[in-house]
Structures are given as structure tokens and as C-alpha cells.
Amino acid sequence: MKEIKLDLGNSSYSVFIGSLGELNFAGKVAVVTNPKVAGLHFKTLLSKIKAPEVYAISVPDGEEYKNLSNVESILEQCFISRLDRKSTIISFGGGVISDMAGFAASIYERGIGYVGVPTTLLAAVDASVGGKTGVNNKFGKNLIGSFYQPSAVYIDTSFLATLDSREIAAGMAEAIKMAVMFDEGFFNELAKKSLSYDEIIAKCVSLKADVVSQDEKEAGLRAVLNYGHTFAHVIECEGGYSTHLHGEAVAIGMVMANTLACELGLLSADEAQKIKNALEAYNLPTSYKIKDTNAFYEAFFHDKKSMDGNIKFILTNGKIGSHIIKGDISKDIVIKVLSKFC
Ligand code: NAD
Ligand code: GLY
């Protein structure tokens, strides 16, 4: 069992990677999941939980259901099961489930216990770690939410065996994101496809733990984890959260961010091509047709990194494995870059 610690003062916790052992709780437990994950793996999880009472709370499967009304439905079921301040919510699923379950845990009776058991590669490498929780609304992605750290995260890669190839690829997009921003050596290994899931997850969680330990509430550095996301969130919103998987939109978003970086002299065409090749090696999409560049640009202003009319872009800083947060880029330059995707 590999243990990676997030050093966050009173909110510190560990991420465990390895075969899931017994999970012991003094209070009641509610497992938030969806019908697909429950059908495949609930029995396995249930056999590991030792608690006075265990409830299952199911929400519909899909990004389009990551909204306030489903959080309300989770909360209602918590009240019906009479969860109290000693109770724990376990999120059991992908990033959609962990974002919603974590948010519900953060607001139920002003906050109860929260534990993550991710079942997608994307949730294992990124979403289950770091305490960002929340939901989408008609204005955009993840605009409602909270920072709320779990007390532990248990990653057992045997759950990933039932994922389809598209979902695996979506997880790889977030892993490539981490590598491009922070670690050229890791990027080269990913490009060569030479690492196991356990190795990829351990590396991503370590990189993320380091970032989140320095900047839990995204005052600066943590924004770098949003490389590609400013573009991706618009793509997801334009598709009604159902045409592209989050990781697929992030892959396209990284290509768009790299095109901007090339325009600004912050990345060579060769390096941009290397990143595109790596994404395509995992069968991730790298192209997108923007219908209206102005509308696409305006949608950036719903991004949480946009402040006082200034959009902050997360870009490579000269090479793979480096990053820069760049504001004050003129609208003309951004529109010129977006036009290359028309
Ligand atoms: P997801 O949660 O929708 O899961 C993808 C699909 O896989 C779903 O249909 C799900 O039911 C299914 N599934 C889950 N586990 C499975 C298994 N073991 N076998 C078979 N099928 C399984 O999507 P995701 O890619 O895991 O997460 C995307 C979400 O995560 C987005 O909403 C994104 O905004 C969020 N996210 C959050 C953070 C964060 O830090 N909070 C970071 C990255 C992404
Ligand atoms: N996935 C971005 C973050 O956790 O900050």
C-alpha cells in the first residue's frame, strides 16, 4: 500500500494507493454512487465497510446531472437516514460523484466526515484529491461549490478494470496535464506509454499533493492545475455537458492553450506537436470546431480565474514541464488563436 500525505494543517490527510482493506467508522456511513458503479462494484465496497449503519445514495449517471438539484437529493436522503455530525459520506464513483458527494458532505449540518473511493482513472489522478467540490449550473462548470478536504482517499486500481477505453483516455488527459505543467520526465514516460496505472496515479497524486499543500484555496499556484480547462469548460458547456467527456474537453483545451502559448512565443511548434502526439497516442480528441469565436471568448468571463475583466490563461513557460499564469493577453490575440479552430 502506497501512502501519499497532503500536508494541510488540521485538514491533513493521506491518499492510499493499493488493494482496498477494511474501512472502519464509528458513526453511520452513506455511500454516494450511481447505478452503473453500484451495479459493478457496490458489493465489493460494502464488504469492506465496518460501520453501525450503511446507506446507499444513488444519483443519475452523467455530467449533465452534476447540479444543485441532485446535491439536494443527496442531502434529503442523508436527512431521511438521520445522518449526524459523527456520520461519514463516502463518494464511490468518478469525478462527478466525488464533486457532488464532497459538496454535500461540506454543507450537510455544516460539514460531516467525507472519504473518497474513486473508481475512474480521472478521479484517481485528479478529482478525488485536493478538496475541490461542486456542481455546474447554466452559467458554467463548477461555479457553485466549496473547498472541503476528505479525511482519506482510497485508490484501488482493480475498480478501473471495468472502465471503457474512452474513460481511461479521459483520465490520461489529466495525467498529461500534470506532466506538461510540472514534469518533463513524467511527460516523456507517458508519451512512451511505459508506466502502469499505479505508477501514473502515484505520480499525479504526489504532484497534486505538493501543489495543494502549498496553495489549498487556489490563491496562485493551484490555478496551474487548470491548464487547458479555461477552454475545456466552454467546450463542455457548449455541448450541454454531454458531447465531450471532461478529459476529452481538457485534451482539446490543452491544444488550444498551446496554440496561444506558441503565438506568445512561450512554446515552440515542435513541443506543441509533441503534446498533441501524446494526446493522440491515447486516442484523445485534439480538434474542435468553434462556431462563434466572440461567443467562445465571452464565455471565458464565467471562468473562476477571470477577474476584473482579465482572463488568466495557464500556459507552458518555454518548454514542457514548466508553467506560467498569464493575464493581460489582448482580445485580438486570443481571437486570432480561436480563429485557428474555426
Ligand atoms: P464521471 O464521474 O462521469 O465517470 C465517468 C463514467 O464512468 C460514468 O459514466 C461513470 O458511471 C462511469 N464509471 C465510474 N467508475 C466506473 C468503473 N469503475 N467502471 C465502469 N464505469 C465506471 O467522470 P470522471 O471523468 O470520473 O470525472 C469528471 C468530473 O470530475 C467532471 O465533472 C470534472 O469537472 C470533475 N473534476 C473535478 C476535479 C476536482 O479537483 N474536484 C478535478 C478534475 C475533474
Ligand atoms: N483539478 C484542479 C484542481 O484540483 O485544482
Side-chain angles (χ1 to χ4, degrees):
M1 177 76 71
K2 190 171 175 67
E3 179 177 358
I4 298 166
K5 289 190 175 143
L6 273 86
D7 187 7
L8 298 167
N10 288 340
S11 312
S12 297
Y13 60 98
S14 289
V15 177
F16 300 93
I17 304 167
S19 189
L20 191 64
E22 215 167 78
L23 305 176
N24 292 293
F25 300 92
K28 295 181 185 183
V29 165
V31 179
V32 176
T33 187
N34 70 32
K36 185 173 186 183
V37 177
L40 291 164
H41 301 296
F42 189 69
K43 268 193 194 152
T44 307
L45 178 67
L46 198 57
S47 71
K48 308 285 181 186
I49 300 175
K50 304 290 170 243
E53 292 173 39
V54 183
Y55 299 92
I57 297 177
S58 190
V59 289
D61 184 9
E63 182 75 39
E64 63 272 41
Y65 299 106
K66 192 175 112 175
N67 54 36
L68 272 182
S69 79
N70 279 306
V71 169
E72 177 124 35
S73 136
I74 294 170
L75 295 172
E76 260 183 33
Q77 293 179 70
C78 291
F79 285 113
I80 291 166
S81 308
R82 301 203 177 164
L83 262 58
D84 58 27
R85 286 250 172 96
K86 287 192 182 142
S87 304
T88 300
I89 287 181
I90 298 182
S91 72
F92 188 51
V96 167
I97 293 293
S98 55
D99 279 7
M100 281 200 287
F103 186 45
S106 78
I107 56 177
Y108 184 80
E109 297 189 350
R110 298 210 173 88
I112 61 170
Y114 169 47
V115 163
V117 182
T119 63
T120 64
L121 181 60
L122 188 142
V125 297
D126 193 349
S128 65
V129 179
K132 274 191 184 175
T133 81
V135 294
N136 311 323
N137 70 359
K138 67 177 178 185
F139 295 100
K141 269 266 307 174
N142 300 335
L143 294 180
I144 300 165
S146 60
F147 287 98
Y148 196 65
Q149 301 296 339
S151 52
V153 177
Y154 299 93
I155 302 175
D156 181 338
T157 46
S158 68
F159 289 126
L160 309 186
T162 49
L163 286 170
D164 65 29
S165 56
R166 209 178 148 201
E167 295 297 350
I168 291 286
M172 287 309 306
E174 297 280 18
I176 291 171
K177 168 196 84 176
M178 301 294 291
V180 174
M181 290 289 96
F182 296 108
D183 193 325
E184 189 180 15
F186 181 37
F187 173 82
N188 291 334
E189 295 297 328
L190 290 178
K192 279 193 282 179
K193 296 189 162 187
S194 59
L195 302 175
S196 68
Y197 290 141
D198 280 273
E199 288 169 324
I200 293 168
I201 292 165
K203 184 72 190 173
C204 288
V205 171
S206 296
L207 288 169
K208 186 160 182 181
D210 189 39
V211 171
V212 174
S213 297
Q214 292 177 60
D215 178 23
E216 184 186 358
K217 302 261 167 85
E218 201 169 301
L221 178 68
R222 186 167 180 170
V224 172
L225 299 176
N226 291 318
Y227 165 51
H229 286 57
T230 303
F231 301 91
H233 288 171
V234 182
I235 293 169
E236 287 185 88
C237 193
E238 283 192 348
Y241 301 113
S242 60
T243 42
H244 289 86
L245 300 178
H246 175 68
E248 292 172 341
V250 169
I252 299 165
M254 288 190 276
V255 173
M256 289 180 170
N258 294 346
T259 310
L260 179 58
C262 288
E263 186 69 31
L264 296 170
L266 291 167
L267 189 68
S268 69
D270 273 4
E271 296 260 292
Q273 189 60 45
K274 264 197 216 167
I275 300 169
K276 198 168 177 225
N277 291 347
L279 295 168
E280 288 173 354
Y282 287 97
N283 291 321
L284 283 158
T286 52
S287 62
Y288 183 76
K289 213 145 188 56
I290 297 177
K291 285 175 220 77
D292 180 338
T293 49
N294 266 304
F296 200 95
Y297 181 83
E298 287 305 317
F300 289 150
F301 291 95
H302 289 304
D303 190 280
K304 294 186 288 308
K305 290 181 299 310
S306 117
M307 255 170 246
D308 303 326
N310 185 9
I311 309 157
K312 290 197 174 131
F313 289 95
I314 315 300
L315 304 170
T316 47
N317 193 11
K319 63 189 265 297
I320 292 170
S322 68
H323 53 263
I324 184 170
I325 303 173
K326 194 123 183 68
D328 293 322
I329 302 174
S330 81
K331 179 176 176 180
D332 288 352
I333 290 181
V334 180
I335 291 284
K336 183 178 168 196
V337 166
L338 295 180
S339 305
K340 296 185 180 179
F341 293 85
C342 286

